[in-house]
Amino acid sequence: MQSPRIVIGWLAFILLIAFSIFSFIVSGSITLEVWISLLITPAALALALNRDDWWNRDTDDTTTLVEEEEIELNSNKEVPDPEEDGFDIPVL
């Protein structure tokens, strides 16, 4: 017996594809309804194909806190000369 979530996912996928094809045939052109149903189908397919419940997963991927190293900031308030740093001065 499969999970009801998987069955609902497959049914939603099939119904969305069928609705988009039916709406395309009835209207004779690609309308907003057709595009919306086609854009929602990957969500239903992901629901059907994902066998693991993401809320019941037991993972050992614990996050560890990393201490940041203190960086000493240079409190020098002087602006460096761009010519000494290798930058050219633009000529207008």
Side-chain angles (χ1 to χ4, degrees):
M1 180 75 188
Q2 292 199 1
S3 169
R5 181 181 47 84
I6 295 172
V7 174
I8 291 171
W10 279 112
L11 285 175
F13 176 73
I14 292 169
L15 287 175
L16 285 170
I17 293 290
F19 175 73
S20 65
I21 291 171
F22 176 74
S23 180
F24 177 71
I25 291 171
V26 168
S27 66
S29 64
I30 298 178
T31 60
L32 184 63
E33 292 174 348
V34 174
W35 278 112
I36 289 173
S37 61
L38 286 176
L39 289 174
I40 296 174
T41 54
L45 187 62
L47 185 68
L49 292 178
N50 191 5
R51 302 214 183 269
D52 296 331
D53 299 333
W54 60 269
W55 57 87
N56 289 334
R57 289 185 188 159
D58 293 329
T59 58
D60 293 333
D61 298 337
T62 58
T63 56
T64 57
L65 298 177
V66 179
E67 294 182 17
E68 295 183 13
E69 297 178 10
E70 291 185 27
I71 300 173
E72 294 181 23
L73 297 175
N74 192 2
S75 63
N76 189 2
K77 300 288 184 183
E78 295 179 19
V79 178
D81 187 19
E83 288 181 347
E84 291 177 5
D85 290 338
F87 291 103
D88 292 334
I89 296 177
V91 178
L92 298 177

